[in-house]
Amino acid sequence: MALLPILRYPDPRLHARARPVESVDDAIRKLVADMAETMYEAPGIGLAATQVNVDKRVVVIDVSEDRSGLMVFVNPEIVEKSGEQTCEEGCLSVPGVYEKVTRAQFVRVRALNGRGEPFELEAEGLLAVCIQHEIDHLDGKVFVEYLSQLKLNRIKSKLAKKSRITA
């Protein structure tokens, strides 16, 4: 396994739409293992392949307290959603920024697991938020783009200033 570099917003590669995975093979399984290691090290609860500059529809999520609940979603698609909830979100690609975003309270997602087997999952609360957040990444959207233009401009300025300081 290897730690992968995480792209930082506003990197234009974060706006690329990921391509479907043709088959879950050893290369995809290695990607999943590397993504999980990267997510845990960061630390985070979700990571999309596009965040590590891989153009594949692959997501790893673990919302458990003890990191024992790793979930793999290959070619995920939301097939049903309902309700509404507003939660504070953060993102490994937008470090240090936490903002409230409104999303569906309930989702049903269809995907392949890490062995290439199809499954459906119903999720609510934090897991539903995380699934929507990560699928947004696969579609080229970062959570801060749900915010007002004023907040988005402030975040961009803050991140630009931070990158100048660390450069």
Side-chain angles (χ1 to χ4, degrees), residues 39-40 44-46 60-71 124-131:
M39 174 187 70
Y40 289 133
I45 60 170
V60 294
I61 293 174
D62 188 343
V63 295
S64 69
E65 294 279 329
D66 62 356
R67 298 179 170 190
S68 64
L70 181 66
M71 292 181 276
E124 293 184 298
L126 178 60
L127 180 56
V129 167
C130 196
I131 289 168

Side-chain angles (χ1 to χ4, degrees), residues 73-88:
F73 299 83
V74 177
N75 298 333
E77 61 176 316
I78 293 173
V79 294
E80 181 184 345
K81 60 183 176 180
S82 63
E84 192 175 277
Q85 63 181 329
T86 301
C87 296
E88 188 172 78

Side-chain angles (χ1 to χ4, degrees), residues 3 7-8 32 41 56 64 70 78 111 129 148 151-152 167:
L3 291 177
L7 299 178
R8 301 285 188 228
V32 165
E41 181 67 26
K56 300 282 185 198
S64 69
L70 181 66
I78 293 173
V129 167
S148 70
K151 279 189 176 183
L152 187 56

